[in-house]
Amino acid sequence: MNNCLFCKIINNEIPSEKVYEDGEILAFKDINPAAPVHILVIPKKHIDGADELNQEHTELIGKLILTVKHLAEEYNLDKGWRIVTNIKEHGGQTVRHLHFHLLGGGQLGDFGLR
Ligand code: 5GP
Ligand code: ZN
């Protein structure tokens, strides 16, 4: 049984504010936004994180990043924006389903070791 939070969002078992969807990709608003625009872009196929990516995923990764870019355009983030993907414990990954954060809508801070 798949107990993954984002798989449940994909399957509509948990509600979310969807902003884009196609056969392979879902994008929805982050429940606890860290910036005025904070959207999560995820593959519908469960992948644990960027550490589990391989050659088979090359096309999917391209589509995910292009989806982030298209959303940045849709939300008029012409002054700039950021893509973040956290990996495992030290990377701060709290949901173990690959996701790209789109952050923007204001000046973003520096990041690094806490
Ligand atoms: P991570 O910390 O793994 O990089 O990112 C997980 C993100 O998922 C966090 O920014 C968190 O706010 C968001 N999140 C956690 N649970 C939910 C939820 O149920 N719905 C939505 N929309 N976002 C969630
Ligand atoms: Zn999942």
Side-chain angles (χ1 to χ4, degrees):
M1 195 184 138
N2 185 354
N3 218 23
C4 170
L5 178 69
F6 286 176
C7 283
K8 286 180 180 163
I9 285 178
I10 291 160
N11 295 327
N12 290 310
E13 291 166 41
I14 292 174
S16 70
E17 209 175 320
K18 296 184 177 120
V19 296
Y20 176 79
E21 184 166 18
D22 65 25
E24 290 175 288
I25 292 170
L26 177 67
F28 54 97
K29 292 193 179 171
D30 196 292
I31 204 167
N32 183 23
V37 175
H38 189 170
I39 293 166
L40 301 172
V41 178
I42 70 174
K44 287 191 169 176
K45 175 184 145 65
H46 180 95
I47 298 167
D48 278 351
D51 55 304
E52 291 292 334
L53 290 169
N54 60 51
Q55 290 282 352
E56 283 170 37
H57 302 120
T58 303
E59 196 180 327
L60 177 63
I61 299 159
K63 286 182 182 173
L64 287 162
I65 304 270
L66 280 176
T67 300
V68 177
K69 188 209 123 155
H70 290 145
L71 286 165
E73 287 168 353
E74 198 177 312
Y75 281 82
N76 300 310
L77 303 180
D78 41 292
K79 284 188 146 181
W81 42 283
R82 186 177 287 165
I83 294 176
V84 174
T85 189
N86 296 322
I87 296 141
K88 296 171 84 176
E89 187 184 346
H90 275 187
Q93 186 178 12
T94 58
V95 179
R96 193 79 173 127
H97 179 128
L98 176 66
H99 52 282
F100 292 97
H101 298 255
L102 166 61
L103 296 158
Q107 181 62 56
L108 300 171
D110 292 338
F111 56 92
L113 204 59
R114 181 161 56 190

